[in-house]
Amino acid sequence: MVSGTTELIETGLRAWAGGDLDALEAVLDPKVSLRWFEAGKWDCTGREQVMELLRQRQSHGLGPHSMRIDRLDASTFVVSPASHGNRNQSKAFSAATRITVTDGSVSEMQQYRSRADAMRKPLRGRSFRQAVLESVALDGGR
């Protein structure tokens, strides 16, 4: 059974994939961190900095696109492109984000080069196959 908190987080993540940053902001912890796969200018801490960066990315054309959400457990999600798409797409578009939920809000957003990289961390006693079976495809399963 999916908890109300999990549903709220999934709703916020779906909204983010659809370009609704306000809905994502509603589920972010005030001290949330966002880390790019390489340390640098896209690393930030705090809801305001994270939202500023995401709005900046969105204004530069990194807006809504077909994404999938894999729920690994009640506190861990992976948001990634629904398809591999074009090899020429930007790193920001092809990156996967591993989401950690603490006390009912998103506390960490760690970006990886690929969905496979984001899914590799320990799955808390579950197999990769079990985690994938729980995934939610935001592109209607296409």
Side-chain angles (χ1 to χ4, degrees), residues 34-104:
L34 178 113
R35 301 287 177 247
W36 186 240
F37 52 79
E38 296 173 352
K41 67 180 180 179
W42 283 4
D43 290 346
C44 48
T45 302
R47 184 188 299 140
E48 288 181 20
Q49 283 186 2
V50 169
M51 293 309 301
E52 182 180 335
L53 175 66
L54 294 177
R55 286 188 174 100
Q56 179 185 19
R57 285 183 181 177
Q58 191 177 57
S59 73
H60 287 92
L62 296 175
H65 48 280
S66 184
M67 300 294 282
R68 70 181 291 153
I69 297 174
D70 295 293
R71 181 171 42 95
L72 304 183
D73 58 38
S75 63
T76 312
F77 300 82
V78 173
V79 179
S80 60
S83 63
H84 299 317
N86 179 329
R87 290 181 193 230
N88 296 325
Q89 67 190 186
S90 74
K91 286 181 184 179
F93 179 81
S94 62
T97 306
R98 187 178 179 101
I99 304 292
T100 302
V101 177
T102 306
D103 296 329

Side-chain angles (χ1 to χ4, degrees), residues 3 6 24 33 36 38 40 48 52 54 60 80 86 104-105 107 111 119 126 131-133 140-141:
S3 74
T6 300
L24 174 65
S33 66
W36 186 240
E38 296 173 352
E48 288 181 20
E52 182 180 335
L54 294 177
H60 287 92
S80 60
N86 179 329
S105 60
S107 57
Q111 298 192 310
M119 301 276 289
R126 296 186 17 244
V132 170
L133 290 174

Side-chain angles (χ1 to χ4, degrees), residues 5-25:
T5 299
T6 300
E7 287 180 17
L8 183 63
I9 297 296
E10 286 182 1
T11 298
L13 297 176
R14 281 188 189 95
W16 175 32
D20 182 356
L21 295 179
D22 292 334
L24 174 65
E25 185 173 14

